Structures are given as structure tokens and as C-alpha cells.
């Protein structure tokens, strides 16, 4: 049987699958070689250092998340269904969720910096228009939901056998209603001044 030629794409894909199944700590040259049924030499050919390979795995995870979210949202209820899609991702793909959430983020010195790096500028406008609130209030609601969804999604991705998704989604809905009430109450307070 002829020897299989190992490509860089095969190495990255194998590393991604290892991370997907068991976290980034499984992305080791020996494990990649075992997954590809080859010696470690072809793997070393394509990964001069593990940091570079892990960066490619994170990029592949980011692409996976974007595709996953876009296929699991309801365009008629974009804001809430996006949060629900992240919860579904945490439940179905905990390894990918952890890679996506726990990746290093540079130049973040405030929650506003985090919001700017993670959210599309159009999101706050969409939320504001849909709920009849200001863009600043929409940003506050959105950041509260981002923080909450990341937190509850992380809990879901690291628990076994796992909290039922229905319980998590119900809790997420309760948080949304509380955050929305807070924003609406602050709108009323501002109107009364």
C-alpha cells in the first residue's frame, strides 16, 4: 500500500478534531500523528511551533461557530435566537464553544472594548429599533446578555452529564426579561426627569 502524503490541511484538520473532541490540551504532535496514522515527522514538517498550529485551530473554530450560529438563528427574532444558538452550540459542541470563548483577546481594557470586539455595530441599532429604545440602552442590554450567555454557556459546556438545554434556555429567557426591564425602567426614569 502506498504511503499517504500528509498535507498541512490534514494536520490542521486533525488538530481541530482533537481540540473539538477533548480541548486544546489534546493538540499534541503525537496525538495528531496517531490520528493521521503516520509518524511524527510529517506533523513536525507543518507545525514549526504549537502556538502557530493552535492559532489555526482557533481560526477554524471561529469559522465553525460563525457557520453554526448563522444556520441556527431565526431571522425574525435575531437577537434572542442568536443567544439561544450559542447555548445550543455549548450543549452540542462543548469543545468548540470552549475554544471560541476561551481564546485570548488582545487590547481589551473594559467591557466596552469587549463589546466593540465581539459585536457588530449594526446589532445595537437592530435591537434599539426592535425594542423602541436608544442605541446606548440597546448596547447595555446586549452586553448584559453577552456576559450572561457566555457564562451560562460555559457552565453548560463543562458539566456532565449536563444541565438540560430547556432549563438553560428558560434561565436565559428570565435573564433577558430582567435585563430588558432594567433598560425600560431606566428609559422611564430618564423621561420623568
Amino acid at each position: 500500500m502506498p504511503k499517504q502524503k500528509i498535507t498541512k490541511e490534514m494536520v490542521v484538520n486533525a488538530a481541530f478534531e482533537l481540540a473539538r473532541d477533548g480541548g486544546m490540551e489534546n493538540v499534541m504532535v503525537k496525538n495528531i500523528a496517531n490520528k493521521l496514522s503516520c509518524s511524527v515527522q510529517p506533523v513536525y514538517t507543518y507545525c514549526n511551533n504549537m502556538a502557530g498550529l493552535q492559532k489555526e485551530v482557533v481560526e477554524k473554530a471561529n469559522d465553525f461557530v460563525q457557520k453554526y450560529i448563522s444556520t441556527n438563528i431565526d431571522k425574525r427574532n435575531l437577537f434572542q435566537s442568536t443567544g439561544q444558538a450559542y447555548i445550543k452550540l455549548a450543549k452540542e459542541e462543548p469543545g468548540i464553544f470552549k475554544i471560541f470563548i476561551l481564546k485570548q483577546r488582545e487590547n481589551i481594557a473594559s467591557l466596552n472594548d469587549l463589546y466593540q470586539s465581539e459585536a457588530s455595530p449594526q446589532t445595537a441599532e437592530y435591537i434599539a429599533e426592535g425594542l423602541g429604545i436608544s442605541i446606548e440602552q440597546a448596547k447595555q442590554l446586549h452586553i448584559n446578555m453577552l456576559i450572561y450567555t457566555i457564562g451560562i454557556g460555559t457552565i453548560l459546556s463543562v458539566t456532565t452529564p449536563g444541565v438540560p438545554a430547556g432549563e438553560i434556555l428558560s434561565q436565559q429567557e428570565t435573564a433577558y426579561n430582567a435585563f430588558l426591564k432594567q433598560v425600560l425602567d431606566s428609559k422611564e426614569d430618564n423621561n420623568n426627569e
Side-chain angles (χ1 to χ4, degrees):
M1 184 164 143
K3 275 180 116 175
Q4 178 183 10
K5 179 165 173 34
I6 304 298
T7 66
K8 181 178 182 181
E9 182 180 8
M10 292 167 70
V11 170
V12 172
N13 287 341
F16 174 77
E17 289 302 321
L18 287 165
R20 182 180 188 178
D21 292 339
M24 282 296 233
E25 57 274 10
N26 280 347
V27 179
M28 296 185 285
V29 172
K30 182 183 106 188
N31 293 347
I32 296 168
N34 286 341
K35 186 143 185 86
L36 295 172
S37 301
C38 68
S39 71
V40 295
Q41 187 55 44
V43 178
Y44 278 120
T45 302
Y46 294 113
C47 67
N48 298 333
N49 64 53
M50 289 308 286
L53 180 59
Q54 288 178 346
K55 184 177 179 191
E56 290 189 61
V57 170
V58 168
E59 288 171 12
K60 199 165 178 66
N62 288 344
D63 290 343
F64 180 95
V65 169
Q66 297 311 317
K67 289 176 188 160
Y68 184 95
I69 297 302
S70 68
T71 59
N72 284 281
I73 57 172
D74 178 356
K75 294 196 186 327
R76 295 165 296 161
N77 186 4
L78 197 58
F79 180 53
Q80 285 178 288
S81 70
T82 299
Q84 292 166 352
Y86 277 103
I87 296 301
K88 185 176 177 191
L89 173 70
K91 178 80 172 163
E92 293 177 1
E93 295 283 353
I96 300 288
F97 184 84
K98 286 185 269 189
I99 292 167
F100 179 73
I101 293 302
L102 299 178
K103 69 184 176 195
Q104 185 66 36
R105 288 164 171 81
E106 303 292 331
N107 301 314
I108 305 295
S110 69
L111 289 177
N112 188 54
D113 291 344
L114 177 66
Y115 184 78
Q116 298 300 328
S117 75
E118 298 295 313
S120 160
Q122 295 82 20
T123 304
E125 293 169 13
Y126 171 82
I127 295 166
E129 184 178 310
L131 296 174
I133 58 179
S134 74
I135 290 179
E136 282 308 309
Q137 290 169 316
K139 283 181 184 177
Q140 187 59 53
L141 175 62
H142 193 200
I143 191 109
N144 285 344
M145 286 309 298
L146 279 173
I147 293 166
Y148 190 83
T149 299
I150 289 168
I152 204 161
T154 301
I155 291 167
L156 185 60
S157 72
V158 298
T159 55
T160 56
V163 179
E167 186 178 340
I168 294 288
L169 291 172
S170 173
Q171 191 64 38
Q172 186 184 40
E173 184 69 22
T174 299
Y176 168 76
N177 288 325
F179 292 138
L180 180 58
K181 181 180 181 329
Q182 178 186 29
V183 165
L184 294 175
D185 287 350
S186 72
K187 181 181 174 184
E188 260 182 47
D189 292 343
N190 290 338
N191 288 339
N192 292 332
E193 291 177 0

